[in-house]
Amino acid sequence: MPLRAIIFDAYGTLFDVYSMGVLAERLFPGQGKTLAEMWRDKQIEYTRLRTLSNTYKPFWEVTQDALVFCCRKLGLPLTLEAQNMMLGQYAKLQPFPESLEVLRELKGKGMRLAILSNGNPEMLDAVVESAGMKDVFHHVLSVDPVRKFKTAPEAYQLGTDVLGIPAKDVVFVSSNCWDICGAAWYGYPTFWVNRSGAPLEELGVTPHGEGTSLSDLRDFVRQRNEAAVPGSQ
Amino acid sequence: MPLRAIIFDAYGTLFDVYSMGVLAERLFPGQGKTLAEMWRDKQIEYTRLRTLSNTYKPFWEVTQDALVFCCRKLGLPLTLEAQNMMLGQYAKLQPFPESLEVLRELKGKGMRLAILSNGNPEMLDAVVESAGMKDVFHHVLSVDPVRKFKTAPEAYQLGTDVLGIPAKDVVFVSSNCWDICGAAWYGYPTFWVNRSGAPLEELGVTPHGEGTSLSDLRDFVRQRNEAAVPGSQ
């Protein structure tokens, strides 16, 4: 069977989350890069701990907690105004330059497109709207209804439940190798957008496809679907 | 009720895991500290991902995977000999200097003492034996039987199951703030051995006690138990 749908991670995959560093640098000169990276790591750590321990909180709140922790750790004075600016930036994240064109082209070829993200619904709706992508996606899915963050299988299952397609006929796309592993363990074919040339995690998973941008995904999908239809080129 | 038992995390709490850095520095001059810290972070990350995704592997293997990843990421050539030396070091970790004396004293006061660790049983038995602590602990518990690493509640439940004591009459001791949070979420009173003066995680948990070494734990237990027995001083 050819691939019939594509599920995308959001932050870091479609939207450039490290651009937060620019704002962070403006607010805390000399510390922006350190803060932005530590914040992202801590945010992910908190999603995992809260999922492991069944103490779910929406991503917005987890993200805020992580910011407060990181500023305390780095000794940076976090005013309410700065906090609101940093969190507010999440609604205005820029998509990677190729994102919109590739998405439109894939949709034009009949693929069903979805986002599946740790972000809570309000955050996702805001960033999708701001990036002009509202008409591109058939589904914008948050893990919020299952109250578990990735890589819990229940999170990935939201995709197959909503699409009504077996996991094997969907490709899951993420820039995070751990997310690729979680999706592969659930049963999706995977495409790793390895934007930074990171080494593969030692988790026993090899993605079905890999590239440096979403443009490479376009080629991957074409090749997979041509191979699935005998005689076509 | 007074506290009747104490459960200790092992690595970083009783045994100094960052002493791995010394060996790492000998094997990879100039990169030892970076490698040891990255290895520890990656090891913990893999335990969480594998627990979230129900893909448990014993800690020994996870630790090996993490080492392989980190050396690849840092561009360090990892020979089989170096790998065996690094992993073998886990069996010979030094206890923190105050560990043994404090443990003996607490045991002398009638406390039941246990270790509850992500480590698999062989690893734990080896390091406890090597540190001369075999006669000190009533129980050396690995999460291995439940095939979930901390902070899964099932991991912490091993302590109450084996001790046969309600969680509220036990104190859980760890140097890792995330471990303190997991234990508190499960229901244990907690004592954080905050050896490095780290800020408290923003996870809504405040430990019942905090100190910079196990010596402070001794005072905490005495005060708690004096307060629990009216009229005693």
Side-chain angles (χ1 to χ4, degrees):
Chain A
M1 284 287 289
L3 296 169
R4 297 156 62 196
I6 309 177
I7 301 177
F8 295 86
D9 170 55
Y11 306 117
T13 302
L14 298 172
F15 308 106
D16 192 352
V17 74
Y18 282 100
S19 71
M20 304 293 286
V22 178
L23 174 61
E25 182 62 27
R26 188 146 54 85
L27 292 169
F28 304 105
Q31 298 272 16
K33 187 167 182 284
T34 304
L35 174 60
E37 289 180 3
M38 187 187 289
W39 185 19
R40 173 72 174 158
D41 287 346
K42 188 54 68 174
Q43 172 197 54
I44 295 173
E45 183 183 3
Y46 283 1
T47 63
R48 292 175 184 165
L49 289 171
R50 289 191 171 279
T51 304
L52 285 168
S53 294
N54 304 316
T55 52
Y56 178 84
K57 256 177 136 179
F59 196 60
W60 178 262
E61 293 174 38
V62 167
T63 300
Q64 188 162 325
D65 292 342
L67 178 61
V68 169
F69 175 87
C70 291
C71 286
R72 196 141 36 80
K73 175 149 184 174
L74 293 172
L76 302 174
L78 181 65
T79 63
L80 191 61
E81 191 191 355
Q83 184 174 315
N84 289 341
M85 282 177 76
M86 297 276 285
L87 281 156
Q89 187 69 13
Y90 256 92
K92 299 181 263 181
L93 290 175
Q94 292 296 307
F96 287 99
E98 80 283 7
S99 294
L100 197 53
E101 185 196 322
V102 172
L103 291 171
R104 288 201 197 284
E105 191 176 325
L106 288 166
K107 188 177 184 185
K109 294 196 183 301
M111 304 296 292
R112 288 176 65 192
L113 305 185
I115 286 177
L116 173 55
S117 167
N118 277 340
N120 42 296
E122 299 78 6
M123 291 175 75
L124 292 174
D125 289 347
V127 73
V128 167
E129 170 100 43
S130 155
M133 291 184 172
K134 211 177 166 182
D135 63 322
V136 178
F137 290 101
H138 298 85
H139 308 281
V140 177
L141 304 173
S142 161
V143 301
D144 192 66
V146 296
R147 298 180 65 81
K148 287 175 196 284
F149 294 105
K150 305 186 226 176
T151 61
E154 294 88 342
Y156 295 106
Q157 193 185 331
L158 283 163
T160 44
D161 283 355
V162 167
L163 289 165
I165 296 176
K168 68 176 176 53
D169 298 334
V170 181
V171 61
F172 187 93
V173 180
S174 181
S175 63
N176 301 301
C177 192
W178 57 264
D179 194 14
I180 290 295
C181 293
W185 282 328
Y186 174 70
Y188 291 116
T190 53
F191 186 90
W192 183 20
V193 186
N194 186 4
R195 297 186 185 275
S196 62
L200 188 67
E201 298 287 354
E202 279 290 324
L203 289 167
V205 169
T206 305
H208 295 76
E210 183 179 334
T212 57
S213 78
L214 291 177
S215 304
D216 297 321
L217 169 67
R218 182 171 41 194
D219 302 335
F220 170 80
V221 170
R222 191 177 56 234
Q223 284 163 19
R224 282 278 293 218
N225 283 358
E226 283 175 359
V229 183
S232 78
Q233 280 302 322
Chain B
M1 283 287 290
L3 296 169
R4 296 157 61 195
I6 308 178
I7 302 177
F8 295 87
D9 171 54
Y11 305 117
T13 301
L14 298 172
F15 308 106
D16 192 352
V17 74
Y18 281 101
S19 71
M20 304 293 285
V22 179
L23 173 61
E25 181 65 25
R26 189 145 56 83
L27 292 168
F28 304 106
Q31 298 272 17
K33 187 167 182 284
T34 303
L35 174 60
E37 289 180 3
M38 188 188 288
W39 184 18
R40 173 73 175 158
D41 287 347
K42 188 54 69 174
Q43 172 197 53
I44 295 173
E45 183 183 3
Y46 284 1
T47 64
R48 292 175 185 166
L49 289 170
R50 288 191 170 279
T51 303
L52 285 168
S53 293
N54 304 318
T55 53
Y56 178 83
K57 255 178 138 179
F59 196 60
W60 179 262
E61 294 173 39
V62 167
T63 301
Q64 189 162 324
D65 292 343
L67 178 61
V68 169
F69 175 86
C70 292
C71 286
R72 196 141 36 79
K73 174 148 185 175
L74 294 171
L76 303 174
L78 181 66
T79 62
L80 191 60
E81 192 192 354
Q83 185 175 314
N84 289 341
M85 282 177 76
M86 297 276 284
L87 281 155
Q89 187 69 13
Y90 256 92
K92 299 181 265 183
L93 289 176
Q94 292 296 307
F96 287 99
E98 80 283 6
S99 294
L100 197 53
E101 185 196 323
V102 173
L103 291 170
R104 287 200 197 284
E105 192 177 323
L106 289 166
K107 190 178 184 185
K109 293 196 184 301
M111 304 295 293
R112 289 175 66 193
L113 306 185
I115 286 176
L116 174 55
S117 166
N118 277 340
N120 41 298
E122 299 78 7
M123 292 175 75
L124 292 174
D125 289 346
V127 73
V128 167
E129 169 99 44
S130 155
M133 291 183 172
K134 212 175 165 183
D135 63 322
V136 178
F137 291 102
H138 298 85
H139 308 281
V140 177
L141 305 173
S142 161
V143 301
D144 192 67
V146 296
R147 298 179 66 81
K148 289 175 194 282
F149 294 105
K150 302 186 231 176
T151 60
E154 294 88 342
Y156 294 106
Q157 192 186 332
L158 283 162
T160 44
D161 282 356
V162 167
L163 289 165
I165 297 176
K168 70 176 177 48
D169 299 333
V170 180
V171 60
F172 188 94
V173 180
S174 181
S175 63
N176 301 301
C177 192
W178 56 265
D179 194 13
I180 291 294
C181 293
W185 282 328
Y186 174 70
Y188 291 116
T190 53
F191 185 90
W192 182 21
V193 187
N194 185 5
R195 297 186 185 276
S196 63
L200 188 68
E201 298 288 354
E202 279 290 324
L203 289 166
V205 168
T206 305
H208 294 76
E210 183 179 334
T212 57
S213 78
L214 291 177
S215 305
D216 297 321
L217 169 68
R218 183 172 39 195
D219 302 335
F220 170 80
V221 170
R222 192 177 54 233
Q223 284 164 17
R224 282 278 293 219
N225 283 359
E226 284 174 358
V229 183
S232 80
Q233 281 301 322

